[in-house]
C-alpha cells in the first residue's frame, strides 16, 4: 500500500483525539488512528467514516518507515481477515489486493477501506480509555490493552512463524 | 415572692379591667402578643405596680377613654397583685386617679397599700408598703427580674452606650447581699470622707490649742483624701487596662511561640513546588511516550489473532500454488512462445490456462509474500512484549509520581494554612508590640499616679497624726477617739469579709454563667466575668462579636447563672424566691436556641412569666399546666384586652387577635 498524498480524515469523533491530545496521551493523531484501526480489525467492525471535522496526517508522516509499515501491515491483515470482503472476493483476489499495489479492483479504495476500521476503534477508546485526568486515562489504556492482548496467541504465532520451514524461491 | 393573680385596669391601652392568674407551682405562664399589642406596656405595668413609676415615662391612663370623658370626670388606673411571700398571702394595691379639665388631665389622687394575711387569717395593712416591697424585691433589681432580653444583652457586655452598667454591679451585689456590706462600710466611713459615723465623731472633737484649728486640718485631710480617691480611681482604671493588655499579650505570645517563621515555610514551599514541577515534567514525558508506543508497536500485538489467520491463509496458498521454478516471468515467457519447452504446441486452451495462472500470481511468489509478512510480524511482535512492559512500568511510575505530587500538594496546602496563620502571626506580633508600648506608657503613668497617691497618703496620715496629737490630751476627745477606733475595727472587719465573699460569689457566678452558656448556646464561647459583673466574651478566634440571638441567649444564661448561684449560696438574708418576668426575649433566637433556652428555663426560678410574640407552644407542649393568655388589640393599637389563649389560630389568622 502506497501513500501518495496526505490523509484527510473527516470525522464526528474529533473530540476523542482532542481530549487525549490535551492529556498528552496521544499527541499524534496517527498513533491514535493506528490504535483505532487495530481495534476495528480485531473486532472486524467497519463502518463509513462520517463527519465534518478534519484531521490531517501529512504524507511525510506517513512515509516514516515504522508508521508506513504498520499501516501497510494492518491493511494486508484487514484485507485477508475481513469477513465482508471474503464474501465478495476469493482468496486469490484478496491476496492480490493485499500484496500487489498495482492490482486494481473496481470501487475498492485501499485507504478508504483501512480507515473504515477506525470509527469503531474510536468508539471503544472513548468508552474504555477516555478521561480528562492523564493518569486515569493511562491506567484505563493499560487495562484495555491487557484485555486486547492475548499473550498465548502471540507466543503461538511467534513460534509458528519462526519455526516454519518454507522453501524460498 | 410568688405572684398569684394580677388585675390591671385602665393602664395605657388596657382599657377596663383584665386579669391574669399565674402558675404558682413552678410552671410557666405565657402571655402572647403581637408587636404593638402592648406586651412591653404590660411588662412595665408590673414596674409601676411595684414601684409607682412608669419606666417609659408615658401617660399611664387610657387615652381614648379619657378623650371620651367630660370635663370634671375622673379615670382611675389601678392594679392589684395577689402574692405569697414567706408563706403569707399578700394583696398589693396601687391606684392613681386622673381628673379631666378643659385643657388637660391631672393626677387627682393616688394610693399604695399592701395587706398581709396573718396567722389567724386576718388582713392587716403593712406599714410603709414602699419600704416593704423594696425589702422583698429591691427596685434596683427590678430590671433583672422584669427582664428585657435585648436591653440587657448589651449591658452584660459592658457596652458603654447601653444603660449605665453600674446598675448591673449594684443589682448583683444586692442580690448576693453584698450591698449590705457596702452600705455598712460606707456608713461607718472614715475621717477622710464626709457624711459618715467616724467623720461625725471626729467632728465633735475639739481643739485645745488656738494656733492649730482642727477644722482646718480636717478640711485639709478631706481635700487630700478626695484628691487621693481620684488618683486611686485612675490607678484602678490603669491597672485594669494593664491587666487586660498583659492578658492579651500572654495569649498572643502563646500563639506566636508555636509557629514556624514565614521565611522557613516559604523556602520549604518553594522547594516542594520545584519538585512538583520536575515531577510533572517527567510525568508528561512518560505520558507523551505512551501514544507513540501504542501506535508504532502495539498494533501488531492487538491484531495477533488476525495475523494467525493470515498466516494460515498464506500457508494454504503456498501449499496450493507452490510449483518450484514457476513464477510470473516464466509464464509470461511461455505466453510469448508457440510451443512449450517440452515441445508440445501451446494452443488456445493452454494459452488461456497460462493466462489464468499468470493472473493468479502476484509480483512475487506466495512464499516470498509469506516471508515478507512473517518478517514484519516477527519483528514487531518481538518488540510488542517490550512495549507492553514499558507501558506497564510507565503506569506504575506515573502512579508513584502522581502520589508524590499529591503528597507534595498536601504539604503545600498545609504550608499555605500555616502561612495564613503566619499572616495572623504578623498581625499578632504587631499587636503585641503595640501593646508593649502601651503597657510601657501606662506603667509610667501608673507609677506617677502611685507616687502622687502615696504622697497624698503621707500628707493625710501626717495631718491625721497632727489632728490626733492636737486632740489627744482632752478626755472628751479620748472617748471619741476610742469610739472611732472601735468603728474603724468594725469597718475593717466588714471590709475583709466583704472582699472574701465578693470573690467567692464572683467565682460561683462565673462558673454558673459558663455552665448555662455551654448548655444554651450552640457555638462555643469563652466567658469571663469582670469585676463590675459585665462579661468578656470571645470565640476561639478571639472575636468578641455576637449576633443578636447569641447576645439574647447569653442574657438568659446570665440570669440563669445568677439565680442558680443564689440557690447554691448560703445567703440567709437574701430572699431566694424571685419571680422572673421576661419580655420578648426570644425574638432573635433560631428554633434550636429557643429549644435550648426552654429546656433550661424552668429551672431558673420558681415562677416564670413570659411575654412572647413567637408561638412557643411546641417548647412547652409537654407541660399541660402552662397557663396561657393572649393580648387582643384594635387596629389602631390603642385599646387592648387580655383573654385566655384559645388556639394557635391567634398566630395565623388576624381575626383571632383583633379586639372587636
Amino acid at each position: 500500500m502506497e501513500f501518495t498524498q496526505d490523509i484527510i480524515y473527516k470525522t464526528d469523533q474529533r473530540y476523542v483525539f482532542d481530549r487525549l491530545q490535551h492529556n498528552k496521551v496521544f499527541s499524534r493523531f496517527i498513533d491514535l488512528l493506528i490504535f483505532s484501526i487495530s481495534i476495528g480489525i480485531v473486532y472486524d467492525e467497519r463502518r463509513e467514516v462520517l463527519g465534518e471535522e478534519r484531521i490531517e496526517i501529512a504524507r511525510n508522516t506517513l512515509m516514516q518507515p515504522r508508521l508506513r509499515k504498520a499501516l501497510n501491515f494492518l491493511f494486508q491483515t484487514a484485507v485477508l481477515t475481513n469477513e465482508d470482503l471474503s464474501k465478495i472476493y476469493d482468496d486469490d483476489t484478496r491476496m492480490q489486493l493485499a500484496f500487489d499495489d498495482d492490482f486494481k479492483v473496481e470501487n475498492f479504495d485501499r485507504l478508504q477501506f483501512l480507515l473504515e476500521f477506525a470509527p469503531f476503534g474510536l468508539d471503544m477508546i472513548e468508552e474504555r480509555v477516555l478521561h480528562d485526568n492523564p493518569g486515569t486515562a493511562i491506567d484505563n489504556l493499560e487495562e484495555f490493552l491487557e484485555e486486547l492482548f492475548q499473550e498465548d496467541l502471540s507466543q503461538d504465532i511467534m513460534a509458528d512463524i519462526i519455526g516454519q520451514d518454507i522453501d524460498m524461491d | 415572692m410568688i405572684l398569684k393573680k394580677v388585675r390591671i385596669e385602665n393602664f395605657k391601652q388596657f382599657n377596663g379591667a383584665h386579669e391574669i392568674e399565674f402558675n404558682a407551682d413552678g410552671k410557666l405562664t405565657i402571655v402572647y402578643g403581637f408587636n404593638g399589642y402592648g406586651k412591653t406596656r404590660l411588662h412595665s405595668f408590673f414596674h409601676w405596680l411595684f414601684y409607682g413609676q412608669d419606666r417609659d415615662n408615658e401617660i399611664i391612663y387610657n387615652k381614648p377613654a379619657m378623650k371620651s370623658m367630660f370635663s370634671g370626670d375622673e379615670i382611675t388606673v389601678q392594679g392589684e397583685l395577689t402574692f405569697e411571700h414567706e408563706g403569707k398571702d399578700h394583696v398589693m394595691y396601687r391606684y392613681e386617679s386622673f381628673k379631666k379639665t378643659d385643657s388637660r388631665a391631672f393626677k387627682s389622687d393616688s394610693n399604695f397599700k399592701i395587706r398581709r394575711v396573718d396567722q389567724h387569717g386576718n388582713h392587716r395593712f403593712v406599714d410603709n408598703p414602699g419600704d416593704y416591697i423594696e425589702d422583698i424585691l429591691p427596685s434596683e433589681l427590678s430590671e433583672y427580674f422584669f427582664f428585657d432580653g435585648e436591653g440587657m444583652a448589651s449591658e452584660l457586655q459592658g457596652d458603654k452606650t447601653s444603660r449605665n452598667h453600674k446598675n448591673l454591679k449594684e443589682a448583683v451585689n444586692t442580690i448576693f447581699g453584698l450591698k449590705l456590706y457596702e452600705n455598712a462600710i460606707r456608713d461607718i466611713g472614715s475621717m477622710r470622707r464626709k457624711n459618715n459615723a467616724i467623720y461625725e465623731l471626729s467632728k465633735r472633737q475639739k481643739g485645745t490649742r488656738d494656733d492649730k484649728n482642727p477644722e482646718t486640718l480636717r478640711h485639709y485631710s478631706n481635700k487630700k483624701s478626695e484628691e487621693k480617691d481620684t488618683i486611686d480611681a485612675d490607678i484602678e482604671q490603669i491597672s485594669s487596662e494593664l491587666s487586660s493588655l498583659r492578658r492579651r499579650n500572654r495569649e498572643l505570645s502563646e500563639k506566636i511561640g508555636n509557629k514556624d517563621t514565614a521565611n522557613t515555610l516559604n523556602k520549604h514551599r518553594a522547594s516542594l513546588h520545584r519538585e512538583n514541577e520536575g515531577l510533572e515534567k517527567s510525568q508528561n514525558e512518560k505520558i507523551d511516550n505512551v501514544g507513540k508506543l501504542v501506535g508504532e508497536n502495539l498494533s501488531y500485538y492487538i491484531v495477533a489473532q488476525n495475523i494467525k489467520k493470515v498466516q494460515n491463509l498464506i500457508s494454504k496458498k503456498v501449499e496450493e500454488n507452490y510449483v518450484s521454478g514457476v513464477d510470473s516471468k516464466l509464464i509470461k515467457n511461455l505466453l510469448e512462445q508457440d510451443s512449450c519447452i517440452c515441445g508440445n504446441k501451446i494452443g488456445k486452451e493452454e494459452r488461456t490456462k497460462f493466462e489464468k495462472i499468470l493472473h493468479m500470481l502476484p509480483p512475487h511468489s506466495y512464499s516470498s509474500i509469506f516471508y515478507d509478512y512473517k518478517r514484519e510480524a516477527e519483528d514487531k511482535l518481538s518488540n510488542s512484549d517490550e512495549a507492553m512492559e514499558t507501558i506497564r512500568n510507565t503506569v506504575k511510575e506515573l502512579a508513584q509520581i502522581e502520589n508524590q505530587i499529591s503528597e507534595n500538594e498536601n504539604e503545600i496546602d498545609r504550608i499555605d494554612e500555616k502561612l495564613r496563620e503566619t499572616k495572623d502571626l504578623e498581625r499578632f506580633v504587631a499587636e503585641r508590640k503595640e501593646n508593649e508600648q502601651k503597657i510601657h506608657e501606662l506603667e509610667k503613668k501608673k507609677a506617677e499616679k502611685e507616687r502622687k497617691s502615696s504622697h497624698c497618703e503621707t500628707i493625710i496620715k501626717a495631718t491625721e497624726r497632727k489632728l490626733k496629737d492636737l486632740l489627744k490630751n482632752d478626755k472628751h476627745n479620748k472617748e471619741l477617739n476610742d469610739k472611732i477606733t472601735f468603728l474603724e475595727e468594725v469597718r475593717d472587719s466588714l471590709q475583709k469579709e466583704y472582699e472574701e465573699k465578693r470573690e467567692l460569689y464572683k467565682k460561683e457566678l462565673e462558673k454558673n454563667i459558663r455552665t448555662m452558656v455551654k448548655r444554651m448556646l450552640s457555638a462555643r464561647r469563652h466567658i469571663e466575668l469582670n469585676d463590675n459583673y459585665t462579661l468578656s466574651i470571645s470565640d476561639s478566634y478571639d472575636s468578641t462579636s455576637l449576633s443578636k440571638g447569641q447576645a439574647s441567649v447569653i442574657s438568659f444564661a446570665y440570669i440563669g447563672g445568677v439565680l442558680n448561684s443564689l440557690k447554691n449560696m448560703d445567703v440567709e438574708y437574701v430572699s431566694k424566691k424571685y419571680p422572673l418576668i421576661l419580655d420578648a426575649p426570644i425574638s432573635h433566637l433560631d428554633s434550636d436556641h429557643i429549644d435550648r433556652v426552654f429546656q433550661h428555663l424552668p429551672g431558673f426560678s420558681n415562677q416564670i412569666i413570659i411575654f412572647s410574640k413567637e408561638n412557643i407552644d411546641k417548647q412547652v407542649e409537654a407541660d399541660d399546666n402552662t397557663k396561657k393568655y393572649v393580648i387582643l388589640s384594635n387596629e389602631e393599637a390603642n385599646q387592648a384586652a387580655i383573654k385566655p389563649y384559645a388556639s394557635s389560630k391567634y398566630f395565623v389568622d388576624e381575626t383571632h387577635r383583633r379586639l372587636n
Side-chain angles (χ1 to χ4, degrees), chain A residues 20 23-28 30-32 34-35 37-39 41-44 64-71 73-74 76-78 80-83 91-96 99-103 133-136 138-139 141-143 145-146 148-151 153-164 166-169, chain B residues 283-284 286-322 325-327 358-385 388 391-392 394-395 398-399 402:
Chain A
L20 287 168
N23 277 346
K24 301 192 187 325
V25 177
F26 282 92
S27 46
R28 299 187 306 181
I30 185 67
D31 296 317
L32 183 65
I34 290 173
F35 182 33
I37 290 170
S38 310
I39 296 164
I41 291 171
V42 82
Y43 283 93
D44 201 19
Q64 288 178 27
R66 291 172 81 93
L67 297 172
R68 182 171 51 81
K69 279 184 182 176
L71 283 168
F73 187 84
L74 285 175
Q76 290 167 343
T77 308
L80 296 173
T81 55
N82 178 243
E83 189 76 27
D91 289 351
D92 292 328
T93 310
R94 286 186 292 128
M95 291 285 274
Q96 280 190 292
F99 298 110
D100 183 358
D101 286 343
D102 294 332
F103 182 73
N133 179 290
T136 311
I138 295 280
D139 282 349
L141 177 64
E142 189 218 358
E143 195 181 324
L145 286 170
E146 296 286 8
L148 289 169
F149 178 45
Q150 299 167 44
E151 195 169 4
L153 184 65
S154 176
Q155 295 300 326
D156 185 32
I157 295 165
M158 295 277 285
D160 275 2
I161 293 171
I162 295 161
Q164 201 164 32
I166 298 167
D167 286 337
M168 311 299 294
D169 44 8
Chain B
Q283 190 182 35
N284 285 340
K286 285 185 191 299
I287 290 172
D288 210 15
N289 198 30
V290 170
K292 227 172 174 180
L293 274 173
V294 173
E296 292 183 359
N297 297 292
L298 290 182
S299 53
Y300 302 86
Y301 175 98
I302 294 163
V303 298
Q305 66 187 56
N306 301 61
I307 294 173
K308 179 81 179 170
K309 283 184 200 165
V310 173
Q311 181 188 338
N312 291 339
L313 180 67
I314 303 175
S315 296
K316 196 179 96 186
K317 283 289 152 194
V318 169
E319 278 172 23
E320 278 175 12
N321 296 289
Y322 180 66
V326 174
D327 65 10
L358 183 66
H359 188 68
M360 284 164 66
L361 288 172
H364 307 289
S365 69
Y366 285 121
S367 56
S368 75
I369 289 167
F370 184 87
Y371 176 74
D372 286 347
Y373 186 83
K374 162 194 170 308
R375 195 176 52 191
E376 179 72 9
E378 193 179 34
D379 279 358
K380 298 304 176 191
L381 280 172
S382 62
N383 290 338
S384 291
D385 276 347
M388 193 59 208
I391 288 176
R392 287 185 189 117
T394 304
V395 168
L398 283 171
E402 190 69 40

